[in-house]
């Protein structure tokens, strides 16, 4: 009963002391009571997330992270020298078997996102007293902040109805589920929200540095490879500033050149370049055994040309898995139905509009290229459908926004051409 009453107390304080007082939560088009409803929905989903993992997946990474963070919190004040020295890479002696033990420096930096997440959770234990449900309160708050930044990014630049925007942003099943649980996705989503909002402010000639900086820092800390995916398209975003014609072609050209340059530089920095890094990472995923591993042959990452030839297979893995007839439980069926729905909507959109000319701003081009690249990397490396569903949730979310925007933009343009007057979304 203690965590229940504390959760009610925290939620009440949030509503009356934070949400209704801080200007950040005064969002155009979203009344405070609705934002509070979104927050409560995230709480319910986050707690359900924990119950699902506890009862169906033996706790999974979620409860490993929680237990490790609890161990750090409970022993930090007893052995501060050990923890500080370990984080500084000094390799101190382990005082006893009751402390959290760090891996070698190589492994620590290789999986930096996991250890950053564990230590943030260890700090949160100050306010949660070891109760999982209270941890979810803070995760839900971070997820809500990320949602609001996404909302502010798209609010005045998309052409579809506000109600549809709210449903896609806040209630898409996969994004709601994966960013409400105790996992790294919530920080990736928050980082991307900061980054996209910073790009919008830059386009509007406002002070954007802190949003872009903290967005990239957050993404890099929790999944460094996503930072590598972001950079070529971020540089392209800035390189085509003030361009009025052939914007898409120029963005594509800059992005392609920067990716090729990146591969060239990587061959100097790493023994086998980025392809070698990809191959090693793929081997690590293949070595992890799970109940939902793919039965297909892994993509051969031998050369850039072979990867290009395998792109249809790569995107198939990422967008369609798990196949409906291969599903084994309700969770896989739900993931499959969502994937089928998004994929079908994308195909329908392209067929209906017949690839008509579209006019987007640079930040939407950034989203397009980033999401496609992210999906390709997931398809190359990951062979487990459970991991694929989690990793693709955020790019799927962003891609859905683009498809709906494209559809309504074309519909609006058609109506304008017919009637000669603008149509409000």
């Amino acid at each position: 009963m203690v965590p229940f009453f504390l959760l009610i107390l925290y939620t009440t304080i949030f509503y009356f002391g934070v949400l209704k007082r801080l200007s950040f939560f005064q969002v155009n088009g979203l009344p405070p009571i609705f934002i509070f409803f979104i927050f409560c929905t995230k709480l319910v989903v986050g707690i359900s997330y924990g119950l699902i993992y506890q009862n169906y997946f033996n706790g999974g990474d979620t409860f490993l992270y929680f237990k490790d963070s609890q161990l750090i919190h409970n022993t930090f004040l007893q052995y501060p020298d050990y923890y500080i020295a370990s984080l500084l890479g000094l390799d101190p002696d382990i005082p006893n078997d009751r402390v959290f033990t760090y891996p070698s420096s190589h492994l620590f930096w290789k999986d930096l996102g996991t250890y950053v997440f564990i230590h943030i959770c260890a700090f949160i234990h100050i306010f949660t007293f070891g109760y999982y449900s209270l941890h979810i309160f803070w995760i839900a708050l971070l997820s809500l902040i990320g949602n609001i930044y996404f909302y502010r990014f798209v609010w005045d630049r998309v052409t579809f109805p506000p109600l549809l925007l709210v449903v896609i942003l806040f209630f898409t099943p996969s994004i709601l589920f994966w960013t409400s649980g105790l996992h790294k996705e919530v920080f990736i989503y928050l980082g991307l929200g900061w980054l996209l909002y910073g790009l919008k402010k830059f386009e509007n000639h406002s002070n954007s540095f802190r949003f872009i900086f903290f967005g990239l820092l957050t993404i890099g800390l929790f999944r460094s490879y996503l930072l590598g995916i972001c950079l070529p398209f971020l540089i392209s975003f800035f390189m085509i500033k003030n361009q009025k014609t052939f914007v898409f072609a120029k963005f594509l050209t800059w992005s392609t050149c920067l990716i090729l340059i990146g591969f060239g530089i990587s061959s100097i920095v790493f023994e086998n370049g980025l392809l070698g890094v990809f191959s090693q990472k793929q081997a690590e995923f293949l070595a992890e055994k799970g109940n939902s591993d793919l039965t297909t042959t892994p993509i051969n990452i031998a050369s850039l040309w072979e990867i290009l030839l395998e792109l249809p297979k790569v995107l198939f893995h990422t967008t369609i898995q798990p196949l409906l007839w291969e599903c084994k439980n309700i969770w896989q069926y739900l993931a499959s139905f969502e994937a089928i729905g998004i994929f079908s909507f994308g195909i329908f959109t392209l067929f209906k509009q017949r690839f008509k000319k579209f006019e987007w701003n640079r930040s939407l081009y950034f989203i397009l290229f980033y999401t496609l690249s992210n999906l390709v990397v997931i398809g190359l490396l990951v062979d487990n459908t459970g991991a694929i569903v989690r990793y693709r949730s955020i790019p799927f979310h962003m891609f859905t926004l683009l498809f709906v925007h494209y559809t309504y933009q074309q519909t609006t343009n058609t109506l304008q051409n017919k009637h000669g007057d603008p149509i409000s979304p």
Side-chain angles (χ1 to χ4, degrees), residues 58 64 100 163 225 251 272 296 311-312 357:
N58 298 318
L64 286 177
F100 176 78
L163 179 60
Y225 73 88
F251 195 101
N272 296 311
T296 54
L311 275 182
K357 182 181 178 181

Side-chain angles (χ1 to χ4, degrees), residues 8-21:
I8 295 297
L9 176 63
Y10 279 16
T11 304
T12 303
I13 293 173
F14 169 69
Y15 180 69
F16 289 103
V18 179
L19 191 149
K20 298 193 74 172
R21 293 179 181 273

Side-chain angles (χ1 to χ4, degrees), residues 175-385:
I175 200 69
L176 178 61
F177 182 76
W178 293 113
T179 62
S180 298
L182 198 65
H183 223 293
K184 289 175 280 187
E185 262 59 35
V186 64
F187 285 98
I188 302 301
Y189 191 65
L190 176 62
L192 283 168
W194 276 331
L195 176 60
L196 292 176
Y197 185 65
L199 296 185
K200 176 182 178 178
K201 289 183 73 67
F202 182 85
E203 288 179 314
N204 293 336
H205 308 290
S206 301
N207 184 13
S208 61
F209 173 77
R210 67 183 186 276
F211 296 105
I212 295 175
F213 173 78
F214 283 111
L216 291 175
L217 178 64
T218 304
I219 293 168
L221 282 176
F222 287 91
R223 287 214 177 100
S224 56
Y225 73 88
L226 292 180
L227 187 60
I229 294 175
C230 279
L231 286 178
F233 311 123
L234 187 62
I235 295 172
S236 299
F237 171 89
F238 291 112
M239 294 304 296
I240 62 170
K241 179 185 177 183
N242 300 325
Q243 297 296 316
K244 303 297 183 182
T245 58
F246 304 106
V247 178
F248 178 82
K250 292 173 182 177
F251 195 101
L252 176 62
T253 301
W254 270 107
S255 299
T256 304
C257 291
L258 289 167
I259 290 171
L260 292 175
I261 291 172
F263 272 94
I265 294 174
S266 71
S267 63
I268 300 173
V269 177
F270 304 108
E271 184 177 350
N272 296 311
L274 278 179
L275 294 178
V277 175
F278 284 162
S279 296
Q280 183 180 0
K281 196 66 179 176
Q282 184 191 64
E284 292 173 5
F285 274 108
L286 291 173
E288 296 179 1
K289 300 301 179 185
N291 296 325
S292 55
D293 289 342
L294 301 178
T295 56
T296 54
T297 305
I299 307 297
N300 183 24
I301 310 179
S303 69
L304 190 57
W305 176 247
E306 289 191 39
I307 292 176
L308 293 174
L309 292 177
E310 294 280 9
L311 275 182
K313 183 179 178 181
V314 169
L315 289 174
F316 175 82
H317 280 338
T318 315
T319 56
I320 297 300
Q321 298 290 347
L323 297 172
L324 195 58
W325 55 87
E326 294 180 349
C327 294
K328 301 174 183 177
N329 54 54
I330 183 63
W331 319 116
Q332 292 182 354
Y333 277 111
L334 291 174
S336 180
F337 283 131
E338 184 183 48
I340 291 171
I342 293 175
F343 186 78
S344 301
F345 177 73
I347 296 297
F348 171 77
T349 298
L350 295 177
F351 176 77
K352 182 180 178 181
Q353 304 303 334
R354 294 177 177 82
F355 297 92
K356 294 176 183 176
K357 182 181 178 181
F358 53 88
E359 297 177 359
W360 293 348
N361 49 51
R362 289 176 295 154
S363 52
L364 293 181
Y365 289 139
F366 171 85
I367 291 179
L368 175 64
F369 282 82
Y370 168 80
T371 52
L372 282 174
S373 300
N374 195 349
L375 292 172
V376 168
V377 171
I378 294 169
L380 281 174
L381 304 183
V382 185
D383 74 321
N384 181 279
T385 54

Side-chain angles (χ1 to χ4, degrees), residues 121-168:
C121 288
F123 175 77
I124 294 176
H125 274 287
I126 297 173
F127 310 99
T128 63
F129 311 105
Y131 294 116
Y132 178 87
S133 57
L134 293 184
H135 250 70
I136 295 304
F137 173 89
W138 297 99
I139 296 297
L141 181 58
L142 291 172
S143 179
L144 178 65
I145 293 171
N147 266 150
I148 289 174
Y149 276 113
F150 263 88
Y151 180 86
R152 285 182 166 148
F153 167 73
V154 300
W155 168 247
D156 58 354
R157 60 177 53 200
V158 295
T159 53
F160 49 92
L163 179 60
L164 183 58
L165 170 62
V166 167
V167 171
I168 293 174

